[in-house]
Structure formats: structure tokens, C-alpha cells
Coordinates of all heavy atoms in Angstrom, one line a residue:
L1 N 155.8 88.9 21.6 CA 155.6 90.1 22.4 C 156.9 90.9 22.5 O 156.9 92.2 22.4 CB 155.1 89.8 23.8 CG 153.7 89.1 23.8 CD1 153.4 88.6 25.2 CD2 152.6 90.2 23.4
R2 N 158.0 90.2 22.8 CA 159.3 90.9 22.9 C 159.7 91.6 21.6 O 160.1 92.8 21.7 CB 160.4 89.8 23.2 CG 161.8 90.5 23.5 CD 162.9 89.5 23.3 NE 163.0 89.1 21.9 CZ 163.4 89.9 20.8 NH1 163.8 91.1 21.1 NH2 163.5 89.4 19.6
H3 N 159.5 91.0 20.5 CA 159.7 91.6 19.2 C 158.8 92.8 19.0 O 159.3 93.8 18.5 CB 159.6 90.5 18.1 CG 160.0 91.0 16.8 ND1 161.3 91.2 16.3 CD2 159.2 91.3 15.7 CE1 161.3 91.7 15.1 NE2 160.0 91.8 14.7
A4 N 157.6 92.7 19.3 CA 156.6 93.8 19.2 C 157.1 95.0 20.0 O 157.1 96.2 19.5 CB 155.2 93.4 19.6
V5 N 157.5 94.8 21.3 CA 157.9 95.9 22.1 C 159.1 96.5 21.5 O 159.2 97.8 21.3 CB 158.2 95.4 23.5 CG1 159.0 96.4 24.4 CG2 156.9 95.1 24.2
E6 N 160.1 95.7 21.1 CA 161.3 96.3 20.5 C 161.1 97.1 19.2 O 161.7 98.1 19.0 CB 162.3 95.2 20.2 CG 163.7 95.6 19.7 CD 164.6 94.4 19.4 OE1 164.1 93.3 19.0 OE2 165.8 94.6 19.5
G7 N 160.1 96.7 18.5 CA 159.8 97.2 17.2 C 158.9 98.5 17.2 O 158.7 99.1 16.2
E8 N 158.4 98.9 18.3 CA 157.6 100.1 18.5 C 158.5 101.3 18.2 O 159.7 101.3 18.3 CB 157.0 100.2 19.9 CG 155.9 99.3 20.1 CD 154.7 99.6 19.3 OE1 154.2 100.7 19.3 OE2 154.2 98.6 18.6
H9 N 157.9 102.4 17.7 CA 158.6 103.6 17.4 C 158.8 104.5 18.7 O 158.0 105.4 18.9 CB 157.9 104.4 16.3 CG 158.6 105.6 15.9 ND1 159.8 105.6 15.3 CD2 158.3 106.9 16.0 CE1 160.2 106.8 15.1 NE2 159.3 107.7 15.5
W10 N 159.7 104.1 19.6 CA 159.9 104.7 20.8 C 160.3 106.2 20.8 O 160.0 106.9 21.7 CB 160.8 103.8 21.7 CG 160.2 102.5 22.0 CD1 160.5 101.3 21.5 CD2 159.0 102.3 22.9 NE1 159.6 100.3 22.0 CE2 158.7 100.9 22.9 CE3 158.2 103.1 23.7 CZ2 157.7 100.4 23.6 CZ3 157.2 102.5 24.4 CH2 157.0 101.2 24.4
P11 N 161.1 106.6 19.8 CA 161.5 108.0 19.8 C 160.4 108.9 19.7 O 160.5 110.1 19.9 CB 162.4 108.1 18.5 CG 163.0 106.7 18.4 CD 161.9 105.8 18.8
A12 N 159.1 108.5 19.3 CA 158.0 109.3 19.4 C 157.7 109.8 20.8 O 157.1 110.9 20.9 CB 156.8 108.6 18.7
L13 N 158.0 109.0 21.8 CA 157.9 109.4 23.1 C 159.0 110.3 23.7 O 158.8 111.2 24.5 CB 157.7 108.2 24.1 CG 156.5 107.3 24.0 CD1 156.6 106.2 25.0 CD2 155.3 108.2 24.3
A14 N 160.2 110.0 23.2 CA 161.4 110.8 23.6 C 162.5 110.5 22.7 O 162.8 109.3 22.3 CB 161.8 110.4 25.1
P15 N 163.2 111.5 22.2 CA 164.3 111.3 21.2 C 165.4 110.3 21.8 O 165.7 110.5 23.0 CB 164.9 112.8 21.1 CG 163.8 113.7 21.4 CD 163.0 113.0 22.5
G16 N 165.8 109.4 20.9 CA 166.8 108.5 21.4 C 166.3 107.3 22.2 O 167.1 106.4 22.6
L17 N 165.0 107.3 22.5 CA 164.5 106.2 23.4 C 164.4 104.9 22.6 O 163.9 104.8 21.5 CB 163.1 106.6 23.9 CG 162.4 105.6 24.8 CD1 163.2 105.4 26.1 CD2 160.9 106.1 25.1
A18 N 164.8 103.8 23.3 CA 164.7 102.4 22.8 C 164.2 101.6 24.0 O 164.7 101.9 25.1 CB 166.0 101.9 22.2
V19 N 163.3 100.7 23.7 CA 162.8 99.8 24.8 C 162.8 98.4 24.4 O 162.4 98.1 23.3 CB 161.3 100.2 25.1 CG1 160.7 99.4 26.2 CG2 161.2 101.7 25.5
T20 N 163.4 97.6 25.3 CA 163.4 96.1 25.1 C 162.9 95.5 26.4 O 162.8 96.1 27.4 CB 164.8 95.6 24.7 OG1 165.7 95.9 25.8 CG2 165.3 96.3 23.4
M21 N 162.8 94.1 26.3 CA 162.4 93.4 27.5 C 163.0 92.1 27.5 O 163.3 91.5 26.5 CB 160.9 93.4 27.7 CG 160.2 92.5 26.7 SD 158.4 92.5 27.0 CE 157.9 91.1 26.0
S22 N 163.2 91.5 28.8 CA 163.6 90.2 29.0 C 162.5 89.4 29.5 O 161.7 90.0 30.3 CB 164.8 90.2 29.9 OG 165.9 91.0 29.4
V23 N 162.5 88.1 29.3 CA 161.3 87.2 29.7 C 161.8 85.9 30.1 O 162.6 85.3 29.5 CB 160.3 87.1 28.5 CG1 159.1 86.3 29.0 CG2 159.9 88.4 27.8
G24 N 161.2 85.4 31.2 CA 161.4 84.1 31.7 C 160.1 83.3 31.7 O 159.1 83.8 32.1
V25 N 160.1 82.1 31.1 CA 158.9 81.3 31.0 C 159.0 80.0 31.7 O 160.1 79.3 31.7 CB 158.7 80.9 29.5 CG1 157.5 80.1 29.2 CG2 158.6 82.2 28.6
A26 N 157.9 79.6 32.4 CA 157.8 78.3 33.0 C 156.5 77.7 32.8 O 155.5 78.4 32.6 CB 158.0 78.4 34.6
T27 N 156.4 76.4 32.7 CA 155.2 75.7 32.3 C 154.8 74.7 33.4 O 155.7 73.9 34.0 CB 155.3 74.9 31.0 OG1 155.7 75.9 30.0 CG2 154.1 74.2 30.6
L28 N 153.6 74.7 33.8 CA 153.0 73.8 34.9 C 153.1 72.4 34.3 O 152.6 72.1 33.2 CB 151.6 74.2 35.2 CG 150.9 73.5 36.3 CD1 151.6 73.9 37.6 CD2 149.5 73.9 36.4
D29 N 153.7 71.5 35.1 CA 153.8 70.1 34.7 C 152.8 69.2 35.6 O 152.8 68.0 35.5 CB 155.2 69.6 34.8 CG 155.8 69.5 36.2 OD1 155.0 69.7 37.2 OD2 157.0 69.3 36.3
G30 N 152.0 69.9 36.4 CA 151.0 69.2 37.2 C 151.5 68.8 38.6 O 150.8 68.3 39.4
R31 N 152.8 68.9 38.8 CA 153.4 68.5 40.1 C 153.8 69.6 41.0 O 153.8 69.4 42.2 CB 154.6 67.6 39.8 CG 154.3 66.3 39.1 CD 155.5 65.5 38.9 NE 156.4 66.2 38.0 CZ 157.0 65.7 36.9 NH1 156.6 64.6 36.5 NH2 157.8 66.5 36.2
Q32 N 154.2 70.8 40.4 CA 154.7 71.8 41.2 C 153.6 72.7 41.7 O 152.5 72.8 41.1 CB 155.8 72.6 40.6 CG 155.4 73.5 39.4 CD 155.4 72.8 38.1 OE1 154.7 71.9 37.9 NE2 156.1 73.4 37.1
E33 N 153.9 73.4 42.8 CA 153.0 74.5 43.3 C 153.2 75.7 42.4 O 154.1 75.9 41.8 CB 153.4 74.8 44.8 CG 153.5 73.7 45.7 CD 152.1 73.4 46.3 OE1 151.4 74.4 46.5 OE2 151.8 72.3 46.6
V34 N 152.2 76.5 42.5 CA 152.2 77.8 41.8 C 153.4 78.7 42.2 O 154.1 79.3 41.3 CB 150.9 78.6 42.0 CG1 151.0 80.0 41.3 CG2 149.7 77.9 41.4
A35 N 153.7 78.7 43.5 CA 154.9 79.4 43.9 C 156.2 78.9 43.3 O 157.1 79.7 43.0 CB 155.0 79.4 45.4
T36 N 156.3 77.6 43.1 CA 157.4 77.0 42.4 C 157.5 77.5 41.0 O 158.5 77.8 40.5 CB 157.4 75.5 42.5 OG1 157.4 75.2 43.9 CG2 158.6 74.9 41.9
L37 N 156.4 77.5 40.3 CA 156.3 77.9 39.0 C 156.7 79.4 38.8 O 157.5 79.7 37.9 CB 154.9 77.8 38.4 CG 154.6 77.8 36.9 CD1 155.3 76.7 36.2 CD2 153.1 77.7 36.7
L38 N 156.3 80.2 39.7 CA 156.7 81.6 39.7 C 158.3 81.7 39.9 O 158.9 82.5 39.2 CB 156.0 82.4 40.8 CG 154.6 82.9 40.4 CD1 153.9 83.4 41.7 CD2 154.6 83.9 39.3
R39 N 158.8 80.9 40.8 CA 160.3 81.0 41.1 C 161.0 80.5 39.8 O 162.1 81.1 39.5 CB 160.6 80.0 42.3 CG 160.4 80.7 43.6 CD 161.0 80.0 44.8 NE 160.6 78.6 44.9 CZ 159.5 78.3 45.6 NH1 158.8 79.2 46.1 NH2 159.2 77.0 45.6
Q40 N 160.5 79.5 39.1 CA 161.1 79.0 37.9 C 161.1 80.2 36.8 O 162.1 80.4 36.1 CB 160.4 77.8 37.3 CG 160.7 76.6 38.1 CD 159.8 75.4 37.6 OE1 158.8 75.6 37.0 NE2 160.2 74.2 38.0
A41 N 160.0 80.8 36.7 CA 159.9 81.9 35.7 C 160.8 83.0 36.1 O 161.5 83.6 35.2 CB 158.5 82.4 35.6

């Protein structure tokens, strides 16, 4: 997904425009609460 966003032709929206994103991932291990999972991500 990150690569797809970076690879879009953003200057079509505005000259000189480049768009990237940062991502944090967390996986449920069966012990933590959903709120903890969100904090980890």
C-alpha cells in the first residue's frame, strides 16, 4: 500500500506534488486489549 501511494502520479493533481505515508503495524496475540493493540500500532 505504501509503495502504491508513493507510485501514484501526484503531479496530475498539482505540479510538484509528491505523497508518501508512514505506517505502524501491530498484531493481536490473544492477550492484549484492542486499546493496547491500537497503542502499539
Side-chain angles (χ1 to χ4, degrees):
L1 293 169
R2 185 206 62 75
H3 184 71
V5 166
E6 182 182 32
E8 286 294 303
H9 183 65
W10 295 106
L13 287 180
L17 180 63
V19 178
T20 60
M21 70 178 192
S22 301
V23 185
V25 178
T27 301
L28 187 65
D29 67 11
R31 295 181 298 237
Q32 74 269 58
E33 302 275 328
V34 172
T36 302
L37 195 62
L38 280 168
R39 281 194 299 276
Q40 288 174 339

